[in-house]
Amino acid sequence: EEKYRLLVEGLKDEYYFYSLSPEGSIVYASSSFETLAGYDLDDAMGRHYSTFFTRNPMNVTAIRVFRKNLEGRTHDTAFIAEVNHPVKGPRLHEFVHTPVLEKGKVDRIDAIARDVTEREAYIDNLNQANNTIGEQNAQLEKQAEQLIELDRMKSRFFAGLSHELRTPLTLILGPMKDLVERIDDPDLRFELELALRNAERLYHLINQMLELARLDAGQFEPQLENADFLPFLREIMALF
């Protein structure tokens, strides 16, 4: 419980979670959605994702990625889009989307996002500062290294917590699935299935946190191995 409390407390000021229906409407959003995106949860439910975007041309690419996610043509996709915050105005948000499949079709999109406006502004300023000379350039590079190291430390911290949460959650999910199959009482079965779905959603979000930590740390690298290609091809074809 203490580790989970630390995890939630550490995330609520920086990340928010949401789920999209196959049509692209919001069907779930965490409480931090209100703070970071700026919209009441009641107002956000049922709205199409595109209504939160500005008309910035960069969002054309973001909307294309959203559509591919909803069609199941991409998986665990990270991208940046400009979002219209009701109070703060246009803000840059980084998203990681994971399609959840049911019988080969997209059942929903689970996502984790955060406001990276200040980070992106800093990167832009750093690129401009590279045109200067001498001591100013050296000082900016030192600041960048410190920020990168701080970001890596945060990623390692959240990744460690996520690993420790995922192991006991995995041990919980197995018995819960077996118990659901053995229960005949419809009311009790309904309650257990509800608990199981939420436990699976939590497990999925934890995996997304680990992927985001790997993305921040630059650890996405190809892993080559011998494998049967046909099952992999069938899984890909089932998405279309």
Side-chain angles (χ1 to χ4, degrees):
E1 291 182 0
E2 179 64 14
K3 291 179 180 178
Y4 181 75
R5 184 189 67 79
L6 290 173
L7 178 63
V8 173
E9 288 297 320
L11 285 174
K12 72 177 183 179
D13 294 330
E14 190 170 354
Y15 297 88
Y16 61 92
F17 307 95
Y18 64 91
S19 296
L20 298 176
S21 69
E23 294 75 29
S25 299
I26 293 182
V27 295
Y28 164 80
S30 63
S31 59
S32 53
F33 183 91
E34 293 186 336
T35 304
L36 298 177
Y39 294 88
D40 292 336
L41 293 182
D42 292 339
D43 294 335
M45 291 301 102
R47 286 182 57 175
H48 196 266
Y49 70 85
S50 61
T51 62
F52 299 95
F53 285 4
T54 67
R55 295 185 178 181
N56 191 316
M58 70 177 295
N59 287 340
V60 173
T61 300
I63 291 176
R64 188 178 297 119
V65 174
F66 265 82
R67 289 173 178 170
K68 289 182 178 180
N69 288 155
L70 293 170
E71 294 168 1
R73 291 191 287 155
T74 55
H75 188 74
D76 290 340
T77 307
F79 58 95
I80 294 176
E82 188 176 75
V83 177
N84 186 29
H85 192 288
V87 177
K88 299 179 181 178
R91 305 287 292 178
L92 294 177
H93 285 204
E94 183 179 55
F95 303 85
V96 175
H97 277 187
T98 300
V100 179
L101 303 181
E102 184 71 27
K103 296 181 180 180
K105 296 183 178 180
V106 175
D107 179 65
R108 68 178 187 276
I109 299 291
D110 284 342
I112 181 173
R114 62 174 175 172
D115 188 327
V116 295
T117 305
E118 284 73 20
R119 188 192 72 181
E120 292 301 309
Y122 177 81
I123 292 175
D124 290 340
N125 291 335
L126 182 60
N127 289 335
Q128 294 177 9
N130 285 334
N131 296 324
T132 63
I133 58 174
E135 185 176 343
Q136 289 183 340
N137 191 51
Q139 183 178 2
L140 287 172
E141 290 179 353
K142 183 178 180 180
Q143 291 175 352
E145 292 173 358
Q146 292 174 344
L147 288 173
I148 291 172
E149 181 58 27
L150 178 60
D151 198 50
R152 288 174 179 170
M153 291 174 62
K154 289 166 56 179
S155 297
R156 289 194 295 266
F157 173 74
F158 289 129
L161 285 179
S162 300
H163 276 297
E164 296 201 33
L165 283 172
R166 187 167 62 169
T167 299
L169 189 57
T170 301
L171 298 177
I172 292 172
L173 286 173
M176 285 183 68
K177 291 178 181 178
D178 294 338
L179 186 59
V180 167
E181 294 176 356
R182 295 199 300 266
I183 294 298
D184 295 326
D185 183 274
D187 292 333
L188 181 56
R189 185 183 182 89
F190 175 81
E191 295 294 333
L192 287 173
E193 288 177 342
L194 179 62
L196 179 59
R197 286 195 299 270
N198 281 279
E200 288 175 338
R201 172 173 287 179
L202 178 59
Y203 184 83
H204 198 65
L205 290 176
I206 290 173
N207 284 337
Q208 287 186 335
M209 288 170 51
L210 289 171
E211 293 298 324
L212 188 59
R214 290 177 59 200
L215 176 66
D216 285 344
Q219 295 177 353
F220 276 116
E221 297 180 358
Q223 297 181 356
L224 305 180
E225 60 181 10
N226 295 324
D228 187 352
F229 184 71
L230 289 179
F232 172 78
L233 185 60
R234 292 192 189 101
E235 181 179 351
I236 298 300
M237 293 301 295
L239 300 176
F240 296 88

